[in-house]
Amino acid sequence: MGVGLIGGSVGMAARRRLGAHVVGCNRSPAALEVALERGAIDEAVASVADIGSADIAIAGVAVDALEDVVRELCDALPGAVVTDVGSTKGALVGAIDRENFIGGHPLAGAEATGVTHARADLFEGATWYLTPRAATPGVLYERLAHFVAGLGAVPTAIAPDDHDKLMAAVSHLPHVVANLLVAQAAEALGGETLPATGPSFRDATRVAGSNPVLWAQIYTANRVALGAQIDDLVRRLGEVRGLLDGAGDELRAWQDTAAQQRHALLEVGLAGGGGGAVREIRAEVPNRPGVVAQIALALGRAGINISDMSLAPEADNRTGVIALWVRAAEAERAIGLVAQLGYPAGVR
């Protein structure tokens, strides 16, 4: 549902990389025509009821329309794994009490919007957050994770509230700050043209004013987590204001700490990528709902990405074996985390 930049890119990647048959549904007939012309979809339908059946259903609509669309997809396509691509997860996941819904958020996009700018490589190497719940069936999470990986992205499990807190800090707050920096500069110049500047101002304000309709919805949807981050930023600005009246050594230490923290964050981000050799980890687990989500979330919290996975029930159907593929450098740590959950694990 929805064939804009993200939905169109999903369709292109699914057709090209997975050989999938993609059905597009959109309230704009013109958008569907463009999607067909550009090869984003194989077939266009006027309503969700006309889709028929599907393995994966993706809601790629505006944030404030997601709840209704996701619920409609879940009801119309009970055999499908339904997911979304919205940038906030807590309220949506809490509102949708459907077993076949798993929230999602690809960290990919472009400044240009619409299906005319869709491309098949948009998700290549991008983190794609998935938010399974305790009741999420393992086979459904496995199906969705395989699909996301097949698009070229890196599926990463995260709890909905943790996702929103993270996005508030690293995405939503920077947009707020960029807007304020532009407003402050404009007022300081009294309406005059901005003089030549170095890269700092340009880089810090690149996202200022981005897609006002979309970002107003994002701010509203994540108001609690974003509000907490704004309050914390105000506190930190007050501390820095106090340092200006102190000794230079304190300012140098503050700047040095920021440099070290940024380096550490970048190291974590690079280490969390999907490249490098992988190892297979196997664990015996009980055959009950929530086990796969529990393991995926535990590894996700530790920054360990699962590049692939498979489930194999035993003959008695009471237990099974879950195989996980993670980066070789993280295999031992992953084994330890899985073992802490009570599931004996080892490297194959």
Side-chain angles (χ1 to χ4, degrees):
M1 180 68 182
V3 289
L5 172 67
I6 300 298
S9 296
V10 169
M12 288 180 174
R15 295 184 72 224
R16 183 177 301 178
R17 299 173 63 107
L18 301 174
H21 180 83
V22 180
V23 179
C25 179
N26 197 287
R27 64 184 180 182
S28 167
L32 289 174
E33 289 180 12
V34 175
L36 284 167
E37 291 171 0
R38 299 211 61 225
I41 59 177
D42 296 286
E43 180 184 349
V45 297
S47 69
V48 170
D50 296 327
I51 295 175
S53 63
D55 294 318
I56 305 288
I58 299 177
V61 298
V63 174
D64 60 357
L66 276 173
E67 184 178 333
D68 290 340
V69 171
V70 167
R71 188 173 284 109
E72 183 180 9
L73 287 170
C74 287
D75 293 342
L77 302 167
V81 182
V82 178
T83 189
D84 74 298
V85 294
S87 58
T88 60
K89 296 270 77 76
L92 179 64
V93 173
I96 305 296
D97 185 21
R98 300 290 194 280
E99 189 179 69
N100 62 329
F101 171 63
I102 302 173
H105 177 206
L107 301 188
E111 293 185 18
T113 60
V115 69
T116 55
H117 300 284
R119 62 180 201 266
D121 65 348
L122 184 66
F123 310 109
E124 190 69 42
T127 295
W128 192 309
Y129 283 122
L130 300 176
T131 57
R133 293 171 288 189
T136 299
V139 292
L140 296 187
Y141 181 82
E142 178 190 19
R143 188 194 307 175
L144 181 56
H146 279 166
F147 176 76
V148 167
L151 300 181
V154 181
T156 305
I158 189 171
D161 290 342
D162 290 341
H163 169 276
D164 288 357
K165 181 178 179 181
L166 175 64
M167 288 299 103
V170 304
S171 177
H172 306 165
L173 182 65
H175 276 74
V176 170
V177 172
N179 289 349
L180 294 175
L181 289 174
V182 167
Q184 186 170 6
E187 292 178 12
L189 293 168
E192 298 293 328
T193 301
L194 185 69
T197 61
S200 296
F201 185 82
R202 293 196 302 270
D203 291 347
T205 59
R206 181 182 60 82
V207 297
S210 299
N211 199 330
V213 174
L214 170 65
W215 276 95
Q217 295 174 4
I218 291 174
Y219 296 148
T220 300
N222 204 24
R223 64 170 68 87
V224 174
L226 178 57
Q229 291 297 323
I230 290 174
D231 291 343
D232 190 50
L233 179 63
V234 170
R235 177 186 64 80
R236 292 173 184 271
L237 286 172
E239 292 176 353
V240 176
R241 177 65 183 86
L243 293 179
L244 295 178
D245 297 326
D249 290 345
E250 293 179 328
L251 286 169
R252 283 193 293 271
W254 174 68
Q255 191 74 3
D256 182 60
T257 297
Q260 295 177 31
Q261 290 173 332
R262 182 176 185 275
H263 178 74
L265 288 172
L266 290 176
E267 285 291 312
V268 171
L270 292 172
V278 297
R279 296 292 300 274
E280 178 185 352
I281 295 172
R282 286 183 169 244
E284 184 174 337
V285 298
N287 187 12
R288 59 175 171 77
V291 172
V292 173
Q294 182 187 24
I295 292 174
L297 287 169
L299 297 186
R301 281 192 295 270
I304 300 174
N305 289 325
I306 302 171
S307 61
D308 200 359
M309 66 186 302
S310 68
L311 304 173
E314 298 290 357
D316 62 4
N317 212 34
R318 296 175 58 189
T319 60
V321 173
I322 179 171
L324 309 169
W325 283 264
V326 301
R327 292 177 69 247
E330 297 171 334
E332 291 301 325
R333 191 158 62 98
I335 289 173
L337 290 169
V338 174
Q340 287 177 17
L341 297 175
Y343 312 127
V347 175
R348 181 174 178 179

